[in-house]
Amino acid sequence: MSAGRLLVNSGTFAAVTAHGDVHGTRGTATDGLFVRDARHLSRWLLTAGGAAPNAPAPLTLPTPLTLLTSSGDGCVLTPAGTRDNPPAYTVFRRQAVAEGALTEHVRLVSNSGEPSAVELELHVDADFADQFELRADHRVYDKPGARRTAHDTPDGVAFHYRRGESWSSRTTVTASPPPHRTRPADGEGEGTARVLTWRFELPAHGAADLRLTVLAVPHGTGEPSPPGSPGTVRERLEADTGAFAGARPRPRDLTSWEELARACEQGLADLARLRVPTSGPGGEALRVPAAGVPWFLGLFGRDSLLTSLFALPYRPALAADTLLALAAVQGTREDPSRLEQPGRIVHEVRHGELAHFRQVPYGRYYGSVDATPLFLVLLESHASATGDPALARRLEPQARAAVEWMFRDGGLGGNGYLRYTSDAAGGGLVNQNWKDSADAIRFSDGARAEGALAVCEVQGYAYDALVRTARLARAVWGDPRWAGFLEEAAADLRDRFRRDFWMPEHAFPALALDGGDRRVDTLASDAGHLLWSGILSPEEERAVGRRLLRPDFFSGFGIRTLAAGQVPYHPLSYHLGSIWPHDNALIVLGLARRGLAEEARTVAHGLVRAAAAHGWRLPEVMAGYGRDEHPDPVPYPHSSSPQAWAAATPLALLTALRESGGAAGLTRR
C-alpha cells in the first residue's frame, strides 16, 4: 500500500495520503478507513479558500493545500504562496483511529496581522467496498439488491448501505462546529458523496478549530464509543503500546547488539498495534496478532501461530490468546465449501459482505495444511516456556481433535503424509502451505506440481507436533498409552520422510511430493524449516544448513525462497526467489538448534542489515536481489508493512542467538 500514512489500532486502520486525504483508490494504493474487511470511508478531501472579510470579491474557490510536513499522526498545510506573498494561514491536521472510528482535529491559524476569512470544504463519501473488491486482481462481484444512501444531519452526514434484508452497515460523520452548508458533490448525480462547508472568521494572528469524528458500524456490530480527540487517542494508544513493548523481558536487556535490540523494539511496537479483538471458547475477550496491513487485519491461523511462537519467550500472552481464539473456531463438521473438517484449525476468519454471502469462501476458511500441526506445536511450546500446563490441560479436547484430523483427513494415517489438493474450483487457494501463491510449487524445469501435494516443511511440522503432543499426553493429560502411539507415529514419519524426500544427488530434500509421489526437485528454502522441526538426521541437517548459506540461496540480506539459477527462479515473484523474514527466522532457529551457530549468525546479520535499511521495520517480503547487485535490499512491490510474523522475526533471531552460544552471538560483528 503506497498511501502516505497508515494509522492502525484495535482492528481498525486508515490509509491516508501525506496530506491526510482519502481519494477512494483501489489496487496496490488502496486508501480509506477500514473496519471488519470493509471500507467505511472512501473520500475525505480537505480544501480551502479565503479572502479578507471586507473585500468586494467573494471567497476564492477552494483549492488543494500545499504540504509543508507530514508525520505519523498529522500534517501541516498552507495555501499556495511566494516569498513576497506568503500564505495567509496555515492548516494543522491531526488524525487518529480507535476501534471503529477516525477522529480528526483541524486547526486554522492566521499568519496575518489583519482579520481574514477562510472557507474549508470537506468532500466525504463511504462506498462500503469489501476488501476483496479493492485488490489489484480486477475481480467483480454481483450485489443484487444493494443500495447506498446518504442523508444530511444537523452536525454532518450519515451514510447507509443495505443489501437485501440480511446485510446493513453505516458510517456517520459529525463535526463541531456543525457545517454551515452541506450539498451533494458536484458531478456525482445519484451518488452519495457530500461536501461539507465551513466559513471561519479569523482575527489577526488568531485561530479556529474544527473537530471531526467518523464512526463505522459494520454489519452485526454496535456503534463504537466516540474516541475523543486525536491527542487523547494517541495517548491511549501509546500507553497500550508501551505497556506491551516495554514489558519485561526487554530485548535490550538481553543483548548488547544495538541494531538487533532496535529491530526487536520496533517489532514489539508493531505487534502491539496489530493486535485485534476476538473471543475465546468461553466468550472471553482476547487480543491476537493479525497477519498484517492492509489486507490481512484479522485472525489467520498460520500467521498468528508463528508470530506467537516467535514472541513466546518474551510475550507469552500472545500465544495463549492465539490458541484460545483458534480453539474457538476449530472445525466441527464437514463443509467442503470452506474446507472445514472436524478438528481442523482455521486458515483465516473474515467478516466482510462477500464472505457473508459466500461469494468468497474466506468467512471462516480452513484451507491450510499446516495450521493444525502448528497449533499443537505452539500449545506444547507454551506449556514448556511458561511452566504452566493449565492452558494445555484446558485445550486437551481441541488438541486431540487436531491430532485426529491429521490422521483422518490430513492424510497422515496409513503411512501417509499431510497433503492438500487445489481449492481453485471453489474459489479458494491452490496451494495451502505457507507458499500459498498459485505457482509456488514447481519442479526445477518450471512445471507446476499437480495432484495431492505433500510439501516438505509441513511434514516437519507434523513430526514436531506428534513429538510435542506425546509430551503433553504423558506429562499433563496422564495418558502414557496415547503418548507411546504418538511417539511411534513420529518415528515412523521421520524414517519415511528421509527415505521419500531426500535427494542424494543434491544432498537436499525435495520441495514436495506430487500427486504421483514424484519428488518436486526444486531447491527451496522450505528445507530450512526441517532443521527447526528436527525431522532430519544430524548429517542431513548439517548438509542442508550449509547449502542454504551458499550464494545462490543467501543474498546477503536473507535466504531466498528458491535458489537462484533454477528455471522457476524470479527475484520479484512472491514465492519463487523473494526473501521472507519469517521464513528466515524459522531457518535461523533451526540452524541454532542444530549447532550451526556461525551460519545462524550470518543470516541474522543479513536480516538486521535489512531491518536497518527499512527503518528497523522488516517488511513481509523483499525482492531476491543480492548485495552484489545492489547495496541495499530491494523492496518487493506488494509487500505488507507492518506485518506480524515479519515484526516478530527479530525476536526469533534473538532467541536463536541466545541458544547458539552466548555473548558471541549477541554482539555486533
Side-chain angles (χ1 to χ4, degrees), residues 433 435 440-442 454-457 501 503 509-513 520-524 526 562:
N433 64 322
K435 292 180 175 176
I441 310 302
R442 294 194 178 199
V455 183
C456 71
E457 82 276 5
F501 279 78
M503 300 185 294
L511 170 58
L513 302 181
V520 181
D521 58 346
T522 315
L523 303 186
D526 307 56
L562 210 67

Side-chain angles (χ1 to χ4, degrees), residues 28-353:
T28 56
T30 298
D31 61 359
L33 173 67
F34 290 86
V35 186
R36 290 174 70 89
D37 303 318
R39 181 160 66 181
H40 279 262
L41 202 62
S42 55
R43 184 173 300 183
W44 190 256
L45 306 176
L46 186 68
T47 60
N54 297 321
L59 290 172
T60 60
L61 291 175
T63 58
L65 294 160
T66 300
L67 178 70
L68 295 185
T69 186
S70 180
S71 61
D73 64 349
C75 59
V76 181
L77 309 162
T78 65
T82 66
R83 287 188 301 177
D84 297 326
N85 186 24
Y89 58 88
T90 301
V91 180
F92 295 85
R93 299 183 78 176
R94 290 195 70 189
Q95 297 168 317
V97 296
E99 187 173 352
L102 169 72
T103 178
E104 177 165 349
H105 177 197
V106 181
R107 185 168 178 81
L108 280 168
V109 176
S110 171
N111 301 323
S112 171
E114 300 292 331
S116 60
V118 177
E119 187 168 275
L120 289 183
E121 285 194 347
L122 184 66
H123 296 240
V124 187
D125 199 7
D127 64 3
F128 299 96
D130 191 287
Q131 284 194 6
F132 284 96
E133 297 178 85
L134 298 174
R135 298 190 185 193
D137 53 12
H138 307 295
R139 296 184 188 180
V140 177
Y141 299 89
D142 291 332
K143 293 186 170 186
R147 183 168 180 258
R148 287 197 297 131
T149 59
H151 69 270
D152 303 338
T153 64
D155 54 0
V157 60
F159 300 95
H160 294 263
Y161 176 71
R162 293 178 177 84
R163 180 171 169 187
E165 299 299 322
S166 64
W167 185 268
S168 64
S169 301
R170 56 191 171 92
T171 301
T172 61
V173 178
T174 58
S176 177
H180 293 99
R181 184 173 71 254
T182 301
R183 60 178 173 81
D186 293 338
E188 290 296 319
E190 298 292 326
T192 56
R194 292 291 190 271
V195 180
L196 312 182
T197 305
W198 296 263
R199 181 184 175 108
F200 293 98
E201 305 291 344
L202 296 179
H205 297 300
D209 295 281
L210 171 62
R211 300 183 185 276
L212 301 161
T213 301
V214 182
L215 298 181
V217 187
H219 177 77
T221 67
E223 185 161 321
S225 301
S229 70
T232 299
V233 172
R234 182 79 172 184
E235 288 175 5
R236 289 199 303 263
L237 180 58
E238 288 180 348
D240 183 53
T241 301
F244 179 86
R248 296 181 185 275
R250 297 178 301 188
R252 187 169 294 279
D253 297 335
L254 303 174
T255 176
S256 59
W257 184 5
E258 173 65 20
E259 291 85 351
L260 177 59
R262 291 184 67 178
C264 287
E265 288 168 349
Q266 180 63 57
L268 285 170
D270 287 337
L271 287 177
R273 297 192 180 192
L274 285 172
R275 290 174 298 171
V276 297
T278 187
S279 57
E284 61 270 49
L286 306 170
R287 299 174 77 186
V288 300
V293 177
W295 304 124
F296 310 107
L297 197 62
L299 177 64
F300 278 70
R302 178 192 306 119
D303 300 65
S304 299
L305 286 163
L306 286 176
T307 298
S308 300
L309 189 72
F310 293 167
L312 178 59
Y314 315 99
R315 301 297 182 269
L318 276 186
D321 279 14
T322 293
L323 288 164
L324 288 167
L326 291 173
V329 292
Q330 186 176 25
T332 59
R333 60 194 179 96
E334 296 283 344
D335 185 349
S337 69
R338 56 188 187 186
L339 302 188
E340 181 180 2
Q341 294 163 331
R344 194 172 194 177
I345 297 299
V346 76
H347 172 61
E348 64 182 283
V349 177
R350 297 283 190 175
H351 303 282
E353 171 192 357

Side-chain angles (χ1 to χ4, degrees), residues 364-390:
R364 189 180 290 181
Y365 183 61
Y366 293 81
S368 165
V369 72
D370 51 8
T372 306
L374 288 172
F375 175 86
L376 296 166
V377 169
L378 183 61
L379 183 63
E380 191 280 335
S381 297
H382 178 269
S384 177
T386 62
D388 184 358

